[in-house]
Structures are given as structure tokens and as C-alpha cells.
């Protein structure tokens, strides 16, 4: 049994959404019975301190709790770890060094999915992730320009994320629409949902007809590709 | 950190649906931030042999694999175990005896939710669960009568479950509607989704205006009540 470890609960609905994408992608690849799916161990740990607040210097570091989650997954002999939370990847290097199992980087998978021909990309993410420069550095490395939100737009993005975490998807979509309006008016040619709460809000609105890169989906694609390439969908 | 263990993947979408209900019920109880949710460890093990086939004498027993899952959860010190798969509860006594952590019984939670005033109940479940008499015994113990499907109706129920497991929800709902027509025509005054795939099919159809007991929801309610009563939604 090859287990894929998911360090999740950041937030809860985003983890469920991620699992649903993994299952749907595995079905699309031909699974029609339970026994043809990938085996997962999900450490769903919503008590991990808020990542964005910590990056902004307002709260306890989540790193000890993140490492406890990584340890739990490794103790159970997972062969791969994925973390459906962009902000947690601020601590990627520390987790990667600490982990026996490899960890797929959600932002790497997402930036790699920006299509050719696009030059100006808006990444919507938590205030902490934005301030950390996590995505901007990766965009620059690919020769792409980041369309950065102004303070009011970032407030809409943070409010959207907060409302999804509270289970209020309707209101969250209104904040997301406001943020998108500003980013498109400022030249974004593609957008990245750089926080795994955002695709949940986006389901409830009309998304503009430009390329949309969904970090939850890109992480799920990378996870399923990794597992299927190794035959992990078949009982051993 | 108090962890609730979920032995899941039976099937994959049913486990995701169960987690979503747990999260929604916790939100309804007041959680508005990640840190106010319950911590879960989900052993999502779809390679466990088919439960219904084994009960019908057509396949390998899932019991060794179920016990490995129970062991994995106990090794990680979960304080409660839930299994969002009705058919797996055919082996409940063996799992319960084997487990340090208590296990909530999905069929007990579901039968307890049949409202007063109803006397004839149709439980829709896998062919194996039906043949095992798991639900019928519990209904009788509550003084309720079971409306049993004929062979053609049971075939529709099994086909519905199979299509959900294959991710083909549209077709699954057609089979479910056919089964319901027969059961209502034969006197059912309430129905129980006695298989955790069925609520996923039911979302895509008009459900009759009689009491519907959803085993996924009842297990989620019992789980959330158990956890919130013990304060497991707060970081320790």
C-alpha cells in the first residue's frame, strides 16, 4: 500500500475540495471502482496557527505544528506529501528538509501552469503570502510580470478567504469579484487562485474569460500524475 | 490535540461528502475560523476489498484490511473512530473489539433518526448489507417494519451505488429513482440512505416528500456532537 500524505485542514473546506479533485482526476484517468483509486492519509489539522497572520508578524509561527503534521505523515510511511494551502509553503524549505517523503510545491505546480503568451499575471493570495513574495519570485523566474493588488484589493481578497473559511460562500464571491475587477483593470492577462479557499468562492461567480490557474487543481494534477505514474492506484 | 479517526475511501466520494458534512455542521455550530474546527485523521483506503461482494460470498474478506486501517488510526492515538461506509459495519463487532478508540455505529445512528409516527421503513443499501440483515434487525428492535426491495429493485440500488463509485452521478440518479418508485409503491413511509454513496445520487433528483434519513448525515451529526461535547474544536 503506497500512501499519499495530505497535510490539510488549512482550511477545512479547501482540503475537501482538494480531495474531491484528486478523486475526480483519478476517475477521469479510468478508475471506476473504489479499488482503482489512490490511497491517502489525510492529517486534517485546522488548529495549526494561521499562516497569513504569522507571515504578517501578527501571530504565533505555525512551523512547529506544520512539522508535527509532517512527522505524523512520515511516521505512517507516506511516500509523498502534498499540502493544499499556499500560505503554508512559506515554510516549504523547513518542511522539505525535515521530511523523509518528498513534498510537491503548490506554487511551483501553479506557476508552471501559466500558459505561454501571457506576460502579466495576477496571483490572488493571502496578505501574508503576497507580502512574502513567494509567488512573485517564481513569476519573475519564468519571465512573467506580477500584477500586484493595491491595499483595498488585498483587503477584498483576505475578506473572501475569511468568508470561505466561515462557510459563507455567497459573500466571499462578492469580495472576489471586486478584487478581480481591479486586477483586470490593471492589466492582468491571467489569474492564479494562489489560495485554496479562492476556487470555492469562484464557483459562485462568473469568472472572466482569461486563463485561470487554480492552485488546488494544479496540486491535484501533480499528485495524481505522481501516483498513477508509480501504479499507486492498484492494490499491491 | 484530540484527533477523530475516519476509516474511509469506501468509497472515495462518500468519504469526501462525509468530511464536508462534518465541516458544515461544525460551522453551523459556530466555527468561523480554521482553528475552531475538529481535527481529523483520515485513512482514505479505497483498496480495502469490496464489502458487499464479500458479504454475498463473491470475494475476499475485507476484515484484515479494515483491521489494518483501525490499527493505523489507533497507532496515531485517535480518540474516536467513524467509518462512513454502511457495509463495513457488517464487521463492526470485530473492529470494535480490536480498537482502543470507540467506534460510532452508522446504522445505529441512522435508525435512531427515524421519526416517531413512521412504521414502515425502506432502507436502501448494498445487496450485501441487505442480505446481511444489518438494518432489518435494528428496525425490528425499534418496532419498525422493513419494506424490502425485490430483486429488480435491489439491482437498481446496486447499479446506483456502482455508478456513483465510477463518478457517473447522472446515471446513478436514474437507478435511484427507479428503486424509490418501487419502494414507495410498496408502502415505505420513510427511507434510509443506508449506503453512503446514495446521498450523492439523491442530490441529482427530486426526493419524495417523506422522511429521508441520510446515514452520512447522521454519522456526521453523531461525530460532531461527540467532538464538540468534549471541546475538541478548541486547540488545547
Amino acid at each position: 500500500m503506497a500512501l499519499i500524505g495530505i497535510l490539510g485542514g488549512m482550511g477545512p473546506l479547501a482540503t475537501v475540495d482538494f480531495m474531491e479533485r484528486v478523486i475526480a482526476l483519478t476517475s477521469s484517468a479510468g478508475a471506476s471502482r473504489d479499488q482503482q483509486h489512490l490511497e491517502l492519509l489525510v492529517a486534517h489539522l485546522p488548529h495549526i496557527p494561521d499562516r497569513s497572520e504569522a507571515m504578517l508578524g501578527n501571530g504565533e509561527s505555525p512551523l512547529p505544528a506544520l512539522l508535527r503534521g509532517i512527522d505524523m505523515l512520515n511516521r505512517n510511511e507516506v511516500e509523498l506529501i502534498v499540502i493544499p494551502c499556499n500560505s503554508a509553503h512559506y515554510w516549504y524549505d523547513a518542511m522539505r528538509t525535515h521530511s523523509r517523503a518528498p513534498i510537491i510545491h503548490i506554487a511551483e505546480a501553479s506557476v508552471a501552469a501559466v500558459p505561454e503568451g501571457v506576460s502579466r499575471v495576477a496571483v490572488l493570495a493571502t496578505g501574508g503570502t503576497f507580502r512574502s513574495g513567494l509567488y512573485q519570485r517564481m513569476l519573475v523566474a519564468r519571465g512573467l510580470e506580477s500584477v500586484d493588488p493595491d491595499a483595498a484589493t488585498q483587503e477584498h481578497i483576505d475578506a473572501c478567504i475569511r468568508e470561505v473559511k466561515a462557510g459563507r460562500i455567497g459573500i466571499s464571491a462578492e469580495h472576489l469579484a471586486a478584487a478581480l475587477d481591479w486586477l483586470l483593470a490593471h492589466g492582468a492577462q491571467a489569474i492564479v487562485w494562489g489560495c485554496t479557499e479562492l476556487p470555492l468562492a469562484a464557483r459562485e461567480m462568473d469568472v472572466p474569460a482569461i486563463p485561470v490557474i487554480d492552485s488546488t487543481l494544479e496540486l491535484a494534477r501533480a499528485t495524481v500524475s505522481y501516483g498513477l505514474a508509480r501504479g499507486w492506484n492498484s492494490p499491491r
Side-chain angles (χ1 to χ4, degrees), chain A:
Chain A
M1 166 167 86
L3 273 179
I4 297 174
I6 300 178
L7 182 55
M10 303 177 281
L13 285 178
T15 292
V16 166
D17 183 36
F18 174 73
M19 291 173 68
E20 200 166 353
R21 313 288 192 108
V22 166
I23 294 163
L25 289 167
T26 311
S27 290
S28 297
S32 62
R33 296 185 297 116
D34 292 358
Q35 290 75 18
Q36 295 167 334
H37 280 269
L38 296 164
E39 300 220 310
L40 312 172
L41 183 66
V42 189
H44 187 267
L45 306 176
H47 297 175
I48 294 173
D50 189 275
R51 286 67 59 196
S52 183
E53 289 299 316
M55 281 188 268
L56 294 169
N58 299 332
E60 185 188 347
S61 168
L63 184 58
L66 289 169
L67 295 182
R68 278 197 299 275
I70 295 289
D71 282 340
M72 181 191 289
L73 294 171
N74 278 299
R75 268 200 311 276
N76 288 281
E77 302 185 345
V78 300
E79 301 195 18
L80 174 70
I81 291 177
V82 291
I83 309 169
C85 169
N86 286 270
S87 296
H89 286 71
Y90 179 73
W91 293 273
Y92 178 83
D93 290 343
M95 291 190 286
R96 181 65 199 90
T97 306
H98 193 78
S99 179
R100 185 187 46 72
I103 307 177
I104 297 178
H105 196 305
I106 191 170
E108 281 181 11
S110 301
V111 171
V114 174
E116 297 296 323
V118 162
S119 58
R120 306 191 67 200
V121 179
V123 178
L124 291 82
T126 61
T129 298
F130 171 59
R131 286 272 293 281
S132 77
L134 176 74
Y135 265 99
Q136 293 92 323
R137 282 191 298 275
M138 289 188 184
L139 291 175
V140 167
R142 260 205 61 189
L144 296 164
E145 187 185 339
S146 173
V147 179
D148 293 341
D150 66 356
T153 302
Q154 185 60 48
E155 272 176 35
H156 277 299
I157 299 170
D158 284 323
C160 170
I161 294 165
R162 210 161 46 233
E163 296 296 346
V164 171
K165 286 181 184 292
R168 291 186 292 260
I169 306 291
I171 306 167
S172 75
E174 294 173 25
H175 287 291
L176 187 55
L180 275 183
D181 281 348
W182 191 94
L183 291 163
L184 294 178
H186 287 77
Q189 298 164 335
I191 51 178
V192 177
W193 304 140
C195 169
T196 53
E197 266 77 30
L198 297 174
L200 295 160
R203 281 189 204 160
E204 301 295 316
M205 58 176 286
D206 294 325
V207 173
I210 61 172
V212 174
I213 294 92
D214 174 339
S215 61
T216 306
L217 176 60
E218 296 309 328
L219 185 64
R221 282 181 171 150
T223 304
V224 171
S225 296
Y226 195 100
L228 295 189
R230 287 161 180 79
W232 293 353
N233 52 326
S234 300
R236 281 182 190 171

